[in-house]
Amino acid sequence: MYKRERRLDLSVGDTGFGEEGIRRSQLGILFYEKHWAMYEGWFWESYGTTRPAAVREREGVPLVTLYKRSVR
């Protein structure tokens, strides 16, 4: 959808789904929904940080979080 609406560059690839997809990725977007709760821990473990690169929030409540893999 983001590519179709030109909000995401067409060159950005899809690394797949689940924990394996996170391991192959450089960036991750987390939407706060109950069924995605385990993903945040996978980002922390795989990316080596608990600090997000960016957070979009509404009245102090996080809605979307961007994680970025640290350069090693």
Side-chain angles (χ1 to χ4, degrees), residues 15 20-28 43 46-47 67 69:
T15 61
E20 283 300 314
I22 290 173
R23 285 191 192 121
R24 290 188 294 266
S25 69
Q26 295 299 311
L27 294 171
F43 281 123
S46 183
Y47 286 21
Y67 285 97
R69 185 178 298 282

Side-chain angles (χ1 to χ4, degrees), residues 4-23:
R4 185 176 60 237
E5 294 176 356
R6 301 190 190 278
R7 292 199 254 169
L8 184 63
D9 191 278
L10 293 174
S11 67
V12 174
D14 183 354
T15 61
F17 188 75
E19 195 170 4
E20 283 300 314
I22 290 173
R23 285 191 192 121

